[in-house]
């Protein structure tokens, strides 16, 4: 045995002397809370998508379609110059088609790893909802309650001033 841990000798103890860690022991957690105590100071921040990643994914989808056409034409035995003409025409057509609008509706067509696409779709959806409900862009959540509280404070202050006279 080392470091004075366990039995000095297992003789007569009815055990092998092997020492194990107590896995059922609960260690105390850190005293620091993983969340902020002041919930008023915490505001929801929408995740902003990275435009470079979105553009890269869009261009990658175009190149995949172009490569599929190129592969198909090579299997058919089409001339190299004709392949180049058709692939460049398809690339140009797809680029102009996807520059204007995104082909997906909402966040349903995305996979879980497409975080930036999901964020862009969520921002677009939130913007549509904000416009549909007529909410101002500078609206701050909970501002109604703050204004109501200020009015109450002002009225109490006015009542206190009138009572002193």
């Amino acid at each position: 045995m080392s470091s004075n841990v366990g039995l000095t000798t297992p003789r007569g103890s009815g055990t092998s002397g092997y020492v194990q860690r107590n896995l059922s022991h609960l260690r105390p957690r850190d005293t620091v809370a993983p969340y902020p105590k002041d919930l008023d100071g915490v505001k929801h921040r929408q995740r902003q998508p990275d435009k470079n990643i979105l553009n890269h994914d869009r261009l990658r989808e175009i190149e995949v379609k172009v490569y599929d056409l190129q592969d198909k034409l090579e299997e058919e035995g089409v001339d190299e110059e004709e392949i180049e003409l058709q692939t460049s025409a398809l690339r140009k057509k797809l680029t102009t088609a996807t520059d204007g609008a995104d082909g997906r509706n909402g966040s349903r067509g995305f996979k879980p790893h497409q975080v930036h696409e999901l964020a862009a779709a969520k921002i677009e959806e939130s913007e549509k909802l904000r416009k549909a409900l007529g909410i101002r862009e500078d609206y701050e959540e909970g501002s109604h309650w703050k204004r109501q509280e200020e009015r109450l404070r002002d009225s109490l202050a006015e009542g206190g001033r009138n009572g002193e006279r």
Side-chain angles (χ1 to χ4, degrees):
M1 289 281 116
S2 64
S3 302
N4 295 326
V5 176
L7 302 171
T8 55
T9 174
R11 292 180 79 184
S13 66
T15 66
S16 66
Y18 182 73
V19 177
Q20 295 185 15
R21 196 174 67 167
N22 183 1
L23 298 176
S24 65
H25 174 68
L26 296 175
R27 295 185 191 137
R29 290 187 168 205
D30 295 337
T31 57
V32 179
Y35 49 86
K37 298 278 186 200
D38 181 25
L39 295 178
D40 293 336
V42 179
K43 290 186 179 179
H44 173 69
R45 284 184 31 228
Q46 187 109 28
R47 174 181 228 153
Q48 296 298 319
D50 188 352
K51 302 287 184 202
N52 293 331
I53 293 176
L54 292 173
N55 189 37
H56 173 78
D57 287 343
R58 183 180 59 83
L59 293 175
R60 185 178 176 279
E61 288 176 8
I62 291 172
E63 287 302 318
V64 166
K65 291 175 184 173
V66 168
Y67 183 75
D68 287 343
L69 175 68
Q70 180 181 352
D71 194 37
K72 184 181 124 194
L73 293 175
E74 284 176 356
E75 286 179 5
E76 293 174 359
V78 179
D79 187 33
E80 287 290 325
E81 294 175 8
E82 183 64 27
I83 291 173
E84 187 62 34
L85 286 174
Q86 288 187 14
T87 55
S88 62
L90 178 66
R91 184 178 291 118
K92 189 173 186 179
K93 179 183 139 191
L94 290 174
T95 304
T96 56
T98 58
D99 279 343
D102 192 16
R104 299 184 181 175
N105 296 333
S107 61
R108 295 176 188 219
F110 299 117
K111 295 184 173 113
H113 68 275
Q114 295 175 312
V115 193
H116 295 275
E117 289 86 346
L118 282 168
K122 183 64 178 174
I123 288 173
E124 185 179 322
E125 179 184 352
S126 297
E127 193 65 23
K128 283 181 185 177
L129 183 65
R130 185 188 62 75
K131 286 179 181 176
L133 295 176
I135 300 172
R136 297 185 323 257
E137 283 189 47
D138 63 339
Y139 174 76
E140 185 178 325
E141 189 175 332
S143 61
H144 171 75
W145 302 111
K146 289 178 185 174
R147 282 190 306 239
Q148 196 173 18
E149 188 176 305
E150 288 171 5
R151 281 189 222 128
L152 179 64
R153 226 181 290 132
D154 291 344
S155 67
L156 288 175
E158 284 290 321
R161 288 184 198 146
N162 293 337
E164 290 176 2
R165 290 184 186 173

